[in-house]
């Protein structure tokens, strides 16, 4: 039976550790590299309800994009959701691995998954954030047509956007908090930028520079990679039962 360490080594071929940002905490956040693995649950986040799902399902390993332990924990008690989730994993002998900014930057990672989901062609790295973002081309269309397509493909409840005044031809993508890369998108000749966590002034900056910017939400712009990673793990370890979380979704709604 494969071990946590063997699965970690494989994940780090997909998302090499050296690609992570200096401030990030990737790899094994909880558990033992020598532990055998028969079941793996994958999700974007290691939130308490996901840890509970892993325990109920009998998972041996939880694999997520975001870290379980991101900043030093002052204490591990049942007073906070993040530490309750950690305690659930420990009590049930469930290990946890995350691939965060290394998966953002990696070929075939978060932003290639996003670009592919949005049907971009001639996909190429875009310089921002160490090559994290991607750009590509679509058949020329109105912004309204493209907005409908983005909402459909990413299963969003809604989108925030501003209209840069141009038809959609060349699109930059940056899953998660990549809105600071909007000027890189402009310099690359993009007319449209799909990202998330866009600030008020960034919408104005984009509009004034003639860039349409679409905020499709942190969850929805990053979640497509989970299915990609799950499929690659399943192909590499066919004897292991691999499942994507059924309980995790975006908590942000539109009224």
């Amino acid at each position: 039976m494969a071990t946590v360490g063997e699965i970690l080594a494989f994940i780090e071929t997909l998302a090499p550790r050296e690609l992570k940002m200096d401030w990030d905490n990737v790899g094994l956040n909880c558990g033992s590299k020598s532990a055998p693995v028969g079941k793996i649950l994958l999700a974007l986040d290691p939130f308490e309800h996901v840890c509970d799902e892993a325990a109920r399902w009998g998972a041996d390993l939880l694999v997520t994009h975001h870290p379980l332990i991101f900043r030093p924990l002052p204490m591990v008690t049942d007073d906070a959701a993040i530490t309750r989730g950690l305690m659930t994993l420990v009590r049930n002998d469930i290990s946890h691995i995350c691939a965060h900014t290394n998966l953002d930057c990696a070929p075939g990672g978060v932003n290639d998954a996003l670009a592919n989901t949005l049907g971009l062609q001639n996909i190429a790295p875009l310089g921002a954030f160490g090559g994290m973002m991607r750009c590509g081309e679509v058949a020329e269309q109105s912004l309204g047509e493209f907005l409908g397509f983005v909402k459909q493909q990413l299963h969003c409840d809604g989108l925030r956007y501003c209209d840069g005044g141009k038809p959609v031809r060349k699109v930059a993508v940056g899953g998660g908090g990549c809105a600071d890369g909007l000027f890189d998108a402009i310099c690359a000749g993009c007319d449209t930028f799909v990202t998330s966590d866009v600030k008020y002034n960034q919408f104005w900056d984009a509009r004034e520079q003639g860039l349409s910017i679409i905020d499709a939400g942190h969850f929805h712009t990053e979640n497509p990679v989970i299915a990609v990673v799950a499929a690659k793990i399943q192909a590499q370890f066919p004897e292991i039962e691999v499942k994507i979380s059924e309980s995790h979704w975006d908590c942000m709604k539109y009224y």
Side-chain angles (χ1 to χ4, degrees), residues 5-251:
E6 290 171 328
I7 294 159
L8 174 61
F10 174 68
I11 290 172
E12 291 188 343
T13 67
L14 306 177
R17 177 177 286 268
E18 59 267 23
L19 295 181
K20 79 175 186 71
M21 302 297 182
D22 292 341
W23 45 261
D24 202 6
N25 183 32
V26 305
L28 186 64
N29 278 195
C30 170
S32 170
K33 290 183 180 179
S34 63
V37 178
K39 287 184 173 184
I40 302 174
L41 184 71
L42 290 98
L44 189 70
D45 302 287
F47 294 150
E48 182 181 14
H49 65 275
V50 175
C51 295
D52 290 341
E53 180 184 359
R56 288 193 306 272
W57 185 54
D60 304 296
L61 175 62
L62 174 63
V63 175
T64 68
H65 176 48
H66 293 129
L68 175 67
I69 301 172
F70 188 57
R71 297 179 179 86
L73 298 173
M75 60 194 70
V76 179
T77 71
D78 62 2
D79 293 326
I82 184 64
T83 46
R84 286 197 300 270
L86 174 57
M87 290 169 69
T88 295
L89 297 184
V90 172
R91 285 175 180 144
N92 290 276
D93 293 323
I94 302 170
S95 298
H96 172 256
I97 290 171
C98 81
H100 190 208
T101 51
N102 49 333
L103 188 60
D104 287 322
C105 296
V110 169
N111 290 296
D112 281 315
L114 177 57
N116 286 323
T117 301
L118 296 182
L120 272 58
Q121 301 296 314
N122 301 318
I123 298 167
L126 201 157
F129 309 112
M132 182 183 295
M133 290 167 49
R134 300 289 186 268
C135 64
E137 300 167 351
V138 296
E140 182 174 328
Q141 58 198 280
S142 70
L143 178 60
E145 290 173 311
F146 189 64
L147 286 166
F149 181 71
V150 170
K151 186 174 179 179
Q152 172 189 297
Q153 290 297 103
L154 299 183
H155 308 288
C156 302
D157 290 336
L159 302 170
R160 297 192 304 151
Y161 73 97
C162 77
D163 188 343
K166 301 173 184 174
V168 180
R169 298 188 188 93
K170 187 172 183 180
V171 179
V173 298
C178 285
D180 287 345
L182 71 91
F183 287 104
D184 296 271
I186 293 164
C187 290
C190 297
D191 48 71
T192 308
F193 181 24
V194 180
T195 186
S196 74
D197 303 345
V198 182
K199 297 176 182 177
Y200 173 76
N201 64 291
Q202 291 172 324
F203 280 111
W204 278 105
D205 289 341
R207 184 178 183 276
E208 290 171 350
Q209 295 294 324
L211 177 74
S212 295
I213 192 165
I214 302 171
D215 187 328
H218 202 114
F219 177 91
H220 294 286
T221 55
E222 292 189 330
N223 197 55
V225 80
I226 299 303
V228 174
V229 175
K232 289 180 178 179
I233 292 174
Q234 187 68 87
Q236 183 70 17
F237 301 96
E239 74 282 6
I240 294 177
E241 194 171 351
V242 177
K243 186 175 83 165
I244 296 172
S245 170
E246 297 173 353
S247 69
H248 191 36
W249 201 245
D250 191 3
C251 71

